[in-house]
Amino acid sequence: MDQLTAVWEWFMMESTWRGSGIDPGILVRVYEHMSMSLQAVALAALLVLPIGLYIGHTRRWEFAAISIGNFGRALPSFGILGITFFITTALDVPGILGFWATFTALFLLAIPPILTNTYVGIKGVDADTIEAARGMGMTEREILTRLEIPLAAPLIVAGIRLATVQVVATATLGAVVAWGGLGRYIVDGLARGNDVLLLGGAILVALLAIVTEVAFGVLERIAAPRLTSQKKRVVAGSRSGQLGPAA
Amino acid sequence: MNLAQADRPTIKWSWIGDNSDKIFARFIEHIELTVLAVAIGLLISVPLAIYAYRHRWFYTPLTSVTGILYTIPSLALFAFLLPYTGLTVQTAEIGLVGYTLLILIRNIVAGLAGVPPDVREAARGMGFSSGQMLWRVEMPLALPVIMAGVRLATVTTVGLVTVTALIGKGGLGFFILSGMRTDFITAILVGSILSLVLAVTVDGLLVYLERRITPWSRSRAGQRRPAPKTQSSIGPRVA
């Protein structure tokens, strides 16, 4: 219990939040953590969403989408980080040590869930509905933008949520390759045998991950208000299969 | 072991040969950590899931708690445990088991809920007690969905074991971490690729096992009949 009191006292110090000396403080660490994570997911989404839409709509390259999804599930995130760390140091990539290694690893990790969910969501749109739309004279472009994307929106958003939660979790490991973020407290706590830093960092990282998850839950409800109707609820239930690996 | 022998971006094949015994030992450790976690996870999940299946009110709190556990990043979860359990196998296993629970419980409940009501009715008509019904009718029919959960839990655990290198265990993750610390790509690749191979192999083995223990579902898989809508019957709670 003494430890918890010490952690509480650590959280109560202003320098813990605002930083002192070379320690930038929790606020800066949270900012680093989130801006890195969100940028990695945003870049991945920007690149991968069009590909997922294309594969889902045309049903071409389906095998590639499925393979990337499975591959991403089996690949250890820690291993990806190791490889990107080595490559960035071998190439002497400029910038803060570990920044690009972490960013690249997170970017790569964000790809499979977004791709899989976008492709599955678009592909899952009822074939009869599309047939009817085509019969009504809608162009392929209209079918995609006015029918398939809105209907697949809940799944697509779920994919982005999955990617974001995984990326926020994995960003913690960035501290192992000398980058910052909230993982810094855990890695430093480990290295120095400082349980206060270790526990404080663990609390912060866990809270950030849970807040991200909850925030996306709210976002999903906003993105898909129709989900509240009874019929759609069945659709939502079937999404429970979309659980990704923990990171 | 001398890891700091090269920092050139080339693979030192000789290192792999020279250290094959160490690589093999870590490979075995990786398997042990994974199997133990999934086995304990099943021991905990099966009774909880059966209870939640019979008493639906229990399902939401159960999946909420395990869901929060699942959301906590692995390094943070290990960090929570370290001051109490130290750099031990327990720390690694408690964390790893924690991550299997949500996946296993959800799939067991979904599998049980997907048993066709007429089958259940027929079993009751034949005079099966609720225990007999569970172990001789419901669980066997739920096996394909349960096995899907076991597969996901196992593949997830294989990946997470690598992170336990940071708390002194790690299996193949040991090579990833030491490779990072010494800028030695061969070790990083050995750790990553073998762990990937292990995940894919174990997944394949579990598919094979599932086919062997559920021969009746083989024809179904062949005919591509639509999968039973099991998930929808457990309510709107999603990942």
Side-chain angles (χ1 to χ4, degrees), chain B residues 3 9 11 32 35 44 57 60-61 67 69 79 82 96 104 115 120 124 136 141 163 171 178 206:
Chain B
L3 282 164
I11 297 171
E32 284 170 353
V35 170
I44 297 172
W57 63 266
T60 308
L69 204 58
L82 268 178
L96 294 173
L104 292 174
V115 174
R120 213 173 276 136
R124 199 169 291 133
R136 290 168 61 183
L141 285 175
V163 180
S178 48
L206 287 171

Side-chain angles (χ1 to χ4, degrees), chain A residues 60-174:
Chain A
R60 275 178 221 161
W61 299 95
E62 280 186 82
F63 178 74
I66 295 167
S67 304
I68 290 173
N70 288 339
F71 193 69
R73 211 181 68 168
L75 205 61
S77 49
F78 195 47
I80 301 180
L81 187 63
I83 294 168
T84 57
F85 176 66
F86 182 82
I87 292 172
T88 48
T89 42
L91 294 176
D92 260 333
V93 176
I96 305 157
L97 185 63
F99 179 89
W100 287 109
T102 311
F103 184 83
T104 316
L106 298 183
F107 163 74
L108 292 173
L109 276 172
I111 289 176
I114 299 177
L115 181 66
T116 310
N117 273 40
T118 308
Y119 147 74
V120 170
I122 297 288
K123 192 191 163 191
V125 174
D126 184 34
D128 294 342
T129 316
I130 295 170
E131 202 57 40
R134 218 167 258 147
M136 285 165 66
M138 280 172 96
T139 63
E140 291 303 308
R141 196 195 175 80
E142 283 174 327
I143 290 175
L144 185 67
T145 54
R146 289 169 57 185
L147 199 69
E148 289 179 326
I149 293 179
L151 283 173
L155 257 182
I156 297 174
V157 177
I160 296 174
R161 175 190 63 174
L162 201 60
T164 312
V165 173
Q166 276 177 37
V167 162
V168 168
T170 311
T172 317
L173 295 176

Side-chain angles (χ1 to χ4, degrees), chain A residues 3-4 71 73-83 85-86 89-90 161 165 168-169 172-173 176-177 186-187 190 195 198-199 202-203 205-206 209-210 213 233-234 236-247, chain B residues 7-9 68 70-76 79-80 82-84 99 102-103 106 152 155-156 159-160 162-163 165-167 173 176-177 180 183-185 188-189 192 195-196 199-200 203 231-232 234-239:
Chain A
Q3 259 160 351
L4 292 183
F71 193 69
R73 211 181 68 168
L75 205 61
S77 49
F78 195 47
I80 301 180
L81 187 63
I83 294 168
F85 176 66
F86 182 82
T89 42
R161 175 190 63 174
V165 173
V168 168
T172 317
L173 295 176
V176 180
V177 293
I186 299 179
V187 171
L190 266 173
D195 285 352
L198 194 67
L199 284 172
I203 292 169
V205 169
I210 292 167
E213 172 96 26
R233 206 173 274 178
V234 176
S238 68
R239 269 188 307 163
S240 47
Q242 300 295 326
L243 193 68
Chain B
D7 60 352
R8 276 162 288 144
I68 290 170
Y70 191 81
T71 309
I72 297 175
S74 51
L75 189 53
F80 275 126
L82 268 178
Y84 307 100
Y99 289 113
L102 177 68
I103 304 171
R106 261 206 332 211
L152 183 55
V155 171
T156 303
L160 287 173
T162 57
V163 180
L166 291 164
I167 54 165
I176 301 175
L177 185 64
M180 278 177 180
D183 244 348
F184 186 50
I185 189 67
I188 297 175
L189 286 176
S192 310
S195 139
L196 177 72
V200 173
D203 196 45
Q231 314 278 19
S232 57
I234 57 169
R237 159 89 198 167
V238 291

